[in-house]
Amino acid sequence: MNLRRLLILHALVTFAAGVVLIAAPGLIPGAVGVRVAPDAYLVCYLLGVAELAVAFLSFAGRTLRQPEGVRLATWTMIVFHGCTAAVEIYAFTQGIHAAIWANVALRVAVIALFVHYGLRRKGQP
């Protein structure tokens, strides 16, 4: 594994999440017991678009050669997943199903991968 491969894998998974949030808005929230009414699908659509934008940055970041660009892409992924994990923990304190902890753990693992391959190894292939 290296940063380039991590960015490609991250782009694919994030792209898939974005597509699912747009095509089947209730599917991902339903996995943690959240029912989204059809009149609230716009929230899922907006989240899906954000996922697509992050996927684009991740995919485009695989070709960066400038250290500043590599660090910016890496930090963006760390901040995205860190903020998302924080909001998921907050949602748990507000009563969301404990299944959300699996997603929090996944995000922490993704953060650790970006720290290792993007910051500690300085984005080296």
Side-chain angles (χ1 to χ4, degrees):
M1 177 70 77
N2 60 30
L3 182 60
R4 182 176 180 277
R5 288 184 182 133
L6 176 60
L7 286 166
I8 291 169
L9 178 61
H10 183 263
L12 292 172
V13 172
T14 307
F15 178 81
V19 169
V20 170
L21 282 163
I22 294 167
L27 190 63
I28 293 176
V32 292
V34 174
R35 185 185 167 288
V36 180
D39 65 344
Y41 282 175
L42 177 61
V43 175
C44 295
Y45 299 153
L46 294 172
L47 177 58
V49 170
E51 293 276 356
L52 294 176
V54 169
F56 173 79
L57 176 60
S58 191
F59 189 72
R62 82 197 189 290
T63 63
L64 294 174
R65 298 290 175 248
Q66 299 286 356
E68 298 86 12
V70 172
R71 278 193 303 278
L72 178 60
T74 298
W75 275 110
T76 300
M77 301 312 154
I78 292 168
V79 169
F80 177 77
H81 289 290
C83 290
T84 304
V87 169
E88 289 170 338
I89 293 168
Y90 176 71
F92 176 75
T93 68
Q94 300 302 304
I96 199 168
H97 192 274
I100 197 70
W101 286 106
N103 206 46
V104 171
L106 179 63
R107 292 190 186 278
V108 169
V110 170
I111 290 167
L113 288 169
F114 275 107
V115 167
H116 178 73
Y117 290 107
L119 298 180
R120 289 195 181 143
R121 293 186 65 197
K122 298 186 185 350
Q124 298 168 354

